[in-house]
């Protein structure tokens, strides 16, 4: 596992304020609209820089970062009509692979990375119906230590399925039907807090609902409707929007009743619908872009723009347009330039023109009321940002010299990696954790110093 650590020691009390502004950089533009139905980003070539990958009508393309945010355009090929690309180290070899949905060839497939950005294609699943669209996600769904794949497809006659592809540990997959309904978008998440993975879905064609499929712990699923009045949902995600300890649902719709919405989880399988915007949406992503502790929502809007809906802490959202293009298709938040704040990568396509942009976060951080002081207590702060993708910063304080250990744990309490294990002088410290090789989900970080053990939860969202 590759872990990137940046450690800073300081003893300054700070009050931090921020202003969010973005500078847009063009990564690629071309005619034909063939590259940009989906976009993701990761360090695919293992050189420490974030690269960008896109999928579209003409296949899959890699934009390799030279370290100065200049991007080399590489045609990987690998398919036709790629509706979704998803980056993850599926074979645990420390190289970032790609799971993708190819509705042109009716496949769910895997691009295995050899470490030098050379990819080979393995088929995971052959879609039996003629697919009009497909979506895919990868996560350790059954918590057995290897990465599984969740997919959905919509057939030409309205037929479709949501399928869990169980990884046996050697990238050989057993296929389980979660539910026999066509869906446009899916997201695996523990929605009811019972420590097993459920699936949420935006359905279209024959069943226009926002739904969730409750896992009983033995991978048997019960269908629940969150919103029965939905039409052509394009994107779905989940996070604790209102910071009340349970997982809410975020969705984007593009036709009939367009907009971006969040569904407040009231517990007991009850949800309240709230509107964020009334603009048709193709892609949504919740993340704290401002660093103020509140979850914002990034959206690729069909009104030819990329928008951040900034949360004021009371779930009142203010529109902040950060870019535009021929027709917004996909957004992906990640720290492209490694400066510690969340940037946005976006993809645009309208059939005749396509483009990939990097929206650089220009957050200005000011420091007031500086005062030298030595900590009086052992403390561990909440990581920032949280949720995060893939970098986050953990801050902690030590009042006297002592052996200090910080570890990362998965949701089952298994140790993933050690970030710190050494004697530390009195002071306050920051350490940066890179989770590029981990799947989405809940993790814990734990501080051990003297006789104290402090643990906190963090959420990795991809």
């Amino acid at each position: 596992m590759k872990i990137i650590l940046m450690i800073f020691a300081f003893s300054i009390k700070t009050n931090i304020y921020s202003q969010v502004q973005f500078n847009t950089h063009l990564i690629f533009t071309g005619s034909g609209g063939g590259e940009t139905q989906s976009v993701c980003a990761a360090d695919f070539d293992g050189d420490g820089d974030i690269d960008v990958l896109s999928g579209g009508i003409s296949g899959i393309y890699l934009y390799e970062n030279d370290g100065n945010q200049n991007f080399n355009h590489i045609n990987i090929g690998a398919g036709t009509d790629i509706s979704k690309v998803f980056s993850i180290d599926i074979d645990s070899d420390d190289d970032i692979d790609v799971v993708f949905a190819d509705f042109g060839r009716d496949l769910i497939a895997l691009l295995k990375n050899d470490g030098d950005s050379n990819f080979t294609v393995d088929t995971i699943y052959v879609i039996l119906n003629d697919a009009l669209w497909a979506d895919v996600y990868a996560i350790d769904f059954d918590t057995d230590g290897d990465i599984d794949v969740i997919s959905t497809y919509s057939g030409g006659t309205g037929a479709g399925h949501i399928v869990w592809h169980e990884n046996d540990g050697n990238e050989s997959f057993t296929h389980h039907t979660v539910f026999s309904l066509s869906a446009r978008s899916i997201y695996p998440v523990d929605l009811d807090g019972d420590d097993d993975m459920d699936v949420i879905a935006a359905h279209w064609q024959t069943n226009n609902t926002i739904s969730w499929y409750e896992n009983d712990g033995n991978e048997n699923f019960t269908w629940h409707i969150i919103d029965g009045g939905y039409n052509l949902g394009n994107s779905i995600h989940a996070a604790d929007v209102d910071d009340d300890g349970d997982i809410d649902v975020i969705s984007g719709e593009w036709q009939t009743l367009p907009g971006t919405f969040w569904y407040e989880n009231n517990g007991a399988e009850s949800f309240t619908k709230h509107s964020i915007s009334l603009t048709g949406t193709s892609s949504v992503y919740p993340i704290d872009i401002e660093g103020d502790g509140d979850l914002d929502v990034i959206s690729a809007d069909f009104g030819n723009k990329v928008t951040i809906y900034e949360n004021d802490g009371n779930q009142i959202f203010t529109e902040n347009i950060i870019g535009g293009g021929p027709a917004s298709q996909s957004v992906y938040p990640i720290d492209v330039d490694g400066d510690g704040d969340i940037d946005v990568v976006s993809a645009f396509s309208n059939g005749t023109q396509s483009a990939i942009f990097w929206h650089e976060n220009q957050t200005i951080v000011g420091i007031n009321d500086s005062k030298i002081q030595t900590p009086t207590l052992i403390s561990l702060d909440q990581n920032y940002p949280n949720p995060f993708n893939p970098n986050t910063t953990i801050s902690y304080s030590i009042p006297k010299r002592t052996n200090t250990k910080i570890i990362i744990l998965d949701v089952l309490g298994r140790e993933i990696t050690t970030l710190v294990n050494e004697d530390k002088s009195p002071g306050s410290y920051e350490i940066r954790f890179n989770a590029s090789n981990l799947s989405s989900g809940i993790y814990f970080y734990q501080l051990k110093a003297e006789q104290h053990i402090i643990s906190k939860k963090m959420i990795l969202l991809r």
Side-chain angles (χ1 to χ4, degrees), residues 136-370:
V136 69
Y137 205 93
I139 193 170
D140 184 5
F141 194 75
D142 50 5
T143 63
D144 64 351
D146 47 46
I147 300 298
D148 308 301
V149 175
I150 309 295
S151 74
T152 186
Y153 64 90
S154 299
T157 61
H161 291 81
I162 300 171
V163 183
W164 161 41
H165 312 281
E166 181 183 3
N167 188 349
D168 69 358
N170 296 302
E171 294 73 65
S172 177
F173 295 89
T174 302
H175 314 295
H176 308 270
T177 297
V178 174
F179 212 80
S180 296
L181 273 178
S182 62
R184 178 80 172 189
S185 179
I186 53 170
Y187 187 77
V189 64
D190 180 11
L191 191 62
D192 52 2
D194 62 354
D195 294 330
D196 47 48
M197 280 290 175
D198 311 301
V199 179
I200 57 175
H203 292 287
W204 70 321
Q205 289 187 318
T206 57
N207 189 285
N208 299 328
T209 64
I210 298 294
S211 297
W212 73 285
Y213 298 90
E214 181 183 4
N215 187 347
D216 68 356
N218 296 305
E219 287 74 49
N220 301 308
F221 297 88
T222 302
W223 178 28
H224 305 273
I225 294 177
I226 295 174
D227 183 358
Y230 214 68
N231 187 266
L232 288 183
N234 242 25
S235 181
I236 196 162
H237 223 291
D240 186 3
V241 175
D242 51 4
D243 197 28
D244 66 349
D246 48 40
I247 299 297
D248 309 300
V249 175
I250 302 97
S251 71
E253 182 178 351
W254 70 276
Q255 198 175 70
T256 307
L257 298 172
T260 301
F261 306 96
W262 75 281
Y263 297 87
E264 181 182 0
N265 189 343
N266 304 311
E269 303 164 10
S270 171
F271 294 84
T272 301
K273 183 178 182 177
H274 304 272
S275 175
I276 295 175
S277 85
L278 297 178
T279 301
T281 303
S282 57
S283 177
V284 293
Y285 209 116
I287 198 163
D288 181 10
I289 201 82
E290 306 162 295
D292 61 356
D294 304 312
L295 272 182
D296 312 300
V297 176
I298 305 171
S299 170
D301 298 335
F302 274 119
N304 302 338
K305 61 186 179 181
V306 172
T307 305
I308 295 174
Y309 297 99
E310 298 179 1
N311 186 350
D312 70 351
N314 295 304
Q315 292 73 63
I316 297 173
F317 294 87
T318 301
E319 180 184 73
N320 179 5
I321 299 173
I322 66 171
S328 307
Q329 296 287 341
S330 180
V331 289
Y332 193 86
I334 194 168
D335 183 7
V336 174
D337 51 3
D339 64 353
D341 49 40
I342 300 296
D343 308 307
V344 179
V345 177
S346 65
F348 296 83
S349 177
N350 64 1
T352 60
Q353 183 183 3
S354 62
I356 306 288
F357 292 102
W358 159 45
H359 308 278
E360 180 186 3
N361 190 334
Q362 302 276 303
T363 297
I364 302 168
V365 178
I367 299 177
N368 295 325
D369 301 329
S370 297

Side-chain angles (χ1 to χ4, degrees), residues 2-6 43 48-50 287-288 333-343 383-394 431-437 458-462:
K2 299 173 185 173
I3 303 294
I4 301 173
L5 304 180
M6 296 176 64
D43 182 11
D49 306 310
I50 296 297
I287 198 163
D288 181 10
I334 194 168
D335 183 7
V336 174
D337 51 3
D339 64 353
D341 49 40
I342 300 296
D343 308 307
N383 64 302
Y384 165 75
N386 187 48
F388 67 100
N389 177 32
N391 298 309
T392 191
T393 298
I394 298 169
I431 186 165
R432 194 173 177 203
F433 172 54
N434 180 293
S436 293
N437 292 338
M458 59 183 176
I459 301 174
L460 174 61
L461 280 183
R462 294 189 181 280

Side-chain angles (χ1 to χ4, degrees), residues 100-135:
F100 65 96
D102 182 347
F103 71 95
R105 297 187 301 166
D106 296 327
L107 295 176
I108 304 298
L110 168 66
L111 277 176
K112 295 184 75 172
N113 186 354
D114 70 356
D116 294 317
S117 302
N118 298 312
F119 295 90
T120 56
V121 180
D122 288 342
T123 297
I124 294 174
Y125 183 67
V126 177
I127 298 171
L128 298 180
N129 294 29
D130 181 21
L132 292 177
W133 190 262
D135 192 19

